[in-house]
Amino acid sequence: MSTPQTPMSPAAPGMPYPGYTSPIPVVRTHLGHAIASEWTKMRSVRSTMWTLGVFVALVVGIGLLTGTVVGGNATEEDLGGESALALGFFGLLLGTMCVITLGVLTTASEYGTGMIRTTMTACPSRGRVLTAKAIVFFAVAFTVTLVSSALVAVAQVGMVDARDPSGGEWLKATVGISLYIALLGLLSLVIGSIIRHSAGAITIMIGAVLAPLVIALFMFSSSLEDVRTFLLEYSIPNQLGVFYANSLSDSGPSGWDPLWIMLGITAVAFAGAYALLERRDV
């Protein structure tokens, strides 16, 4: 004998299932939810902590070691009137490799593991996902670089007998260099979104950092002098040196020019990644 079925109550307006009211409030998602999700991913992944830890160790460790060696063996006359802030260049140059790696892994690793399908299912707006990743990564990279570079700068100025840096030099050696490195990492994130392969994207970015300078060093022909000069002046290591008034040549980028160059390149790459993201299949 069959049990009579209780008729279900009619669905309320806007309710997906008749007769059921979810205890979880239904809200329209926005960029803030995507940012919260990406922040949870970044701080919960072990590789993030390892990569940032190595970055801090390189920047602070090499910076303090350089300051100790120079402070114990050089005087203000030996430094030629330069400030001690320029000694922070060496650690940050090596540290860029960690930022590049983390930037690529922020996007490319999800494609390699297939996690991107879950991400896009939870947030079908692909542009919103890429924007959230960019915001979270830029904030983390800038903050970590700023704290590390400021700590090294303060320590080196106290350890080395050199000229006192001006306020503008302090700003460029801390905030300026941090913005530049964060943008370089953001460019790596975008390249990872375009290539969708961690090893390939990391190789491309390391080549972009090192290849122009290495190629220029072996251009001995006088007919290639203009090309050699261009590669030297606009190579990323030389642009990093500009923030410390330590350029390889008297011409080329100066002041805050490297920051605007990197900002323009990153904006173009981000627009390309956004267009490809909307046209490609996940």
Side-chain angles (χ1 to χ4, degrees):
M1 182 175 180
S2 61
T3 304
Q5 298 291 329
T6 303
M8 299 182 68
S9 60
M15 295 297 296
Y17 301 103
Y20 173 75
T21 302
S22 174
I24 303 174
V26 179
V27 296
R28 185 179 296 276
T29 58
H30 50 74
L31 181 61
H33 295 114
I35 291 176
S37 174
E38 295 302 327
W39 167 242
T40 301
K41 291 180 189 177
M42 178 164 286
R43 64 186 175 85
S44 60
V45 175
R46 190 174 301 172
S47 60
T48 301
M49 302 305 169
W50 275 104
T51 307
L52 292 177
V54 172
F55 172 80
V56 173
L58 286 173
V59 174
V60 177
I62 295 178
L64 295 180
L65 178 62
T66 305
T68 302
V69 173
V70 175
N73 298 276
T75 62
E76 185 173 353
E77 290 75 16
D78 296 330
L79 294 176
E82 294 184 0
S83 69
L85 295 178
L87 300 176
F89 168 79
F90 308 108
L92 285 170
L93 180 60
L94 288 177
T96 56
M97 299 302 160
C98 299
V99 177
I100 286 172
T101 302
L102 182 60
V104 169
L105 293 178
T106 301
T107 50
S109 63
E110 287 203 43
Y111 288 98
T113 60
M115 182 66 184
I116 192 64
R117 298 184 181 90
T118 304
T119 300
M120 293 304 181
T121 300
C123 181
S125 178
R126 301 182 179 186
R128 184 188 298 171
V129 171
L130 183 60
T131 302
K133 288 181 180 294
I135 292 174
V136 172
F137 175 82
F138 184 86
V140 171
F142 173 76
T143 302
V144 174
T145 306
L146 179 61
V147 172
S148 302
S149 60
L151 176 62
V152 170
V154 171
Q156 289 176 338
V157 169
M159 296 165 64
V160 179
D161 182 17
R163 174 181 61 84
D164 292 333
S166 63
E169 290 175 329
W170 275 105
L171 185 64
K172 290 174 63 177
T174 53
V175 177
I177 197 70
S178 299
L179 287 172
Y180 185 88
I181 291 179
L183 283 173
L184 179 62
L186 187 58
L187 177 62
S188 304
L189 181 149
V190 172
I191 295 300
S193 177
I194 295 174
I195 303 301
R196 297 186 173 186
H197 189 272
S198 299
I202 292 172
T203 302
I204 290 173
M205 287 305 304
I206 292 178
V209 172
L210 300 179
L213 182 60
V214 174
I215 293 172
L217 292 176
F218 293 93
M219 287 186 173
F220 303 112
S221 175
S222 59
S223 60
L224 296 174
E225 182 64 26
D226 292 339
V227 179
R228 178 177 181 272
T229 302
F230 177 83
L231 291 176
L232 283 175
E233 292 175 346
Y234 288 90
S235 63
I236 290 178
N238 185 59
Q239 292 188 44
L240 285 171
V242 170
F243 288 98
Y244 296 102
N246 192 18
S247 178
L248 295 175
S249 64
D250 296 330
S251 58
S254 61
W256 293 86
D257 291 345
L259 184 62
W260 312 134
I261 293 171
M262 184 57 64
L263 181 61
I265 294 174
T266 304
V268 172
F270 190 89
Y274 182 86
L276 289 174
L277 195 62
E278 294 295 332
R279 297 182 60 181
R280 285 174 170 176
D281 190 10
V282 174

